[in-house]
Amino acid sequence: MRHRPRRNRASPGIRALVRETSLAPSHLVLPLFIEDGHDLASPIPAMPGVFRWSVDRAVAAAREALELGVPAVALFPRIPDALKDATGSAAADLGGLTQRAVRALKDALPELVVITDVALDPYSSDGHDGVVERGKIANDATLPRLAAMAVAQATAGADVVAPSDMMDGRVAVIRDALDAAGFSDVLICSYCAKYASAFYGPFRSALDSAPKSGAGIPTDKATYQMDPANVREALREVALDEAEGADWLLIKPGLPYLDVIAAVRAATPLPVAAYQVSGEYAMLRAAAERGWVDYDRGLLESLTALRRAGADLIFTYGAVDAARRLNG
Ligand code: PBG
C-alpha cells in the first residue's frame, strides 16, 4: 500500500502541521443579554451558563472575555413591556438601555469591539423586527426607524451596527444615515442570510421578544426571514448587501447552514460571520447535562466546523468557554 492517509494523523505534531482550519479566541464574538438594574445576573433557563446582566455586570463579563482574547461583544437588550410600542420608538432613545451599555463598555474597555443589534423586536409591542401595519410587517415604514436606531447606537459609541431585521434595503438606508450623522467609520455587519428558524427559541424567551399572538399579527417571521429550504436566495441577499455597503455578511443559524456559509464564502470577498444561535447552544448544554455529549469538545468541534465552512468570525454564547479551552 503506497497511500496511507493515516501517516498524516500519526502524532499531535504531525496533525498540527497539516491542520487545515484554525480556531482562536480572536475569531469569536460574545453575545451579551442586558437588562436594567444593578448587580443583576438573571439566569436564562434554556441556556445554562448564560445570564442577563445589568450594565455593570455586563462590563465585567466583557472584561473577562477580552482578557481571554475574545475581541468583541454583541448586545441584546431586554426591554420592559411598559417601554414597548407598535413602532419600537424606545429603540432610538439616546438614554436607552443599549446606548447606556455601549457607553459603559467603551468607557471601561476602549479596545473592546462593541456590536449592537438593529431590529425593532425587543422594543416592539407586537414582537416583530419591523412595524406592523394592517397585519403586515411594513418594510418601508420600518427603514427610518432602523436608521434612527443605528444612529443612536453609533452616537453612544458602537463600533459595529448589526441589522438583524431582514427588511429590504436597510443596509443602504443605515449606511446613508450613519454617514450623514458623521459616523462613516462605523461598520455594518449585515445579517445577510437570516433564516426563519426554530433555533431562536431560547433567545426569544431570554428577551421576551417572541411575536405576540393577537388579532391580525403574524405569529412567525416567515415574511422577512428566509425559508430554510433556500440557498440561491442567500446569494441574492449577498449581492444586495454588498451593493448597499455592508462591511461584514452574517449567516444565521450556524451549524444547520454550513452549506450556506460555504456558498456565501465563495461568492464574496467580504468577511463572513456565522451566528451559533441560542437553540444550538441549548442543544449542546442539554445533551451535556445528560452526559450524552462532552460540552467543551462539542463546542470546539462545532466552532471549527463553522470556520471550515468559511466563517471568519463566529458569534457564540460559548465564546468564553471556548477561549478558556483554546488558551489551554
Ligand atoms: C432579533 C434577533 C433574533 C436573534 C438575534 N436577533 C431572534 C429572532 O429573529 O427572532 C436570535 C439569536 C439567537 O437565537 O441566539 N432581531
Side-chain angles (χ1 to χ4, degrees), residues 93-238:
D93 180 351
L94 286 175
L97 173 60
T98 300
Q99 281 68 249
R100 278 184 278 119
V102 171
R103 270 186 228 106
L105 287 163
K106 293 299 291 186
D107 281 351
L109 306 164
E111 70 279 35
L112 180 74
V113 177
V114 176
I115 304 173
T116 48
D117 187 63
V118 182
L120 298 184
D121 51 323
Y123 303 90
S124 154
S125 46
D126 297 320
H128 277 288
D129 294 26
V131 178
V132 183
E133 284 175 357
R134 290 178 300 281
K136 294 210 160 82
I137 318 308
N139 193 88
D140 298 11
T142 301
L143 297 180
R145 311 251 158 219
L146 299 173
M149 185 177 187
V151 168
Q153 294 166 348
T155 304
D159 300 288
V160 182
V161 298
S164 67
D165 55 285
M166 291 299 281
M167 297 301 120
D168 293 334
R170 91 275 207 217
V171 172
V173 169
I174 291 170
R175 184 72 271 159
D176 287 349
L178 288 173
D179 290 356
F183 298 114
S184 53
D185 292 338
V186 170
L187 289 80
I188 297 178
C189 168
S190 174
Y191 286 59
C192 171
K194 176 174 178 180
Y195 287 86
S197 173
F199 295 109
Y200 307 149
F203 175 101
R204 291 181 189 173
S205 69
L207 297 186
D208 186 26
S209 64
K212 302 288 178 289
S213 49
I217 302 170
T219 52
D220 64 37
K221 300 189 176 182
T223 67
Y224 47 109
Q225 298 180 348
M226 281 179 54
D227 184 334
N230 293 353
V231 63
R232 292 197 311 269
E233 189 183 356
L235 301 182
R236 189 175 185 209
E237 293 283 359
V238 167

Side-chain angles (χ1 to χ4, degrees), residues 23-32 47-50 61-62 64-74 112 274-277 281 284-285 295-296 299-300 302-303 306 313-327:
L23 175 67
S26 63
H27 299 130
L28 305 178
V29 175
L30 175 66
L32 290 177
M47 303 179 74
V50 175
E64 180 188 31
L66 198 56
E67 281 168 0
L68 287 163
V70 174
V73 298
L112 180 74
Y275 198 138
Q276 182 182 51
V277 300
Y281 176 84
L284 262 178
R285 281 291 193 187
Y295 169 73
D296 277 346
L299 176 65
L300 291 194
S302 39
L303 297 176
L306 293 165
L313 57 145
I314 305 170
F315 290 51
T316 173
Y317 300 96
V320 165
D321 302 324
R324 217 176 257 129
R325 180 80 186 231
L326 290 166
N327 292 334

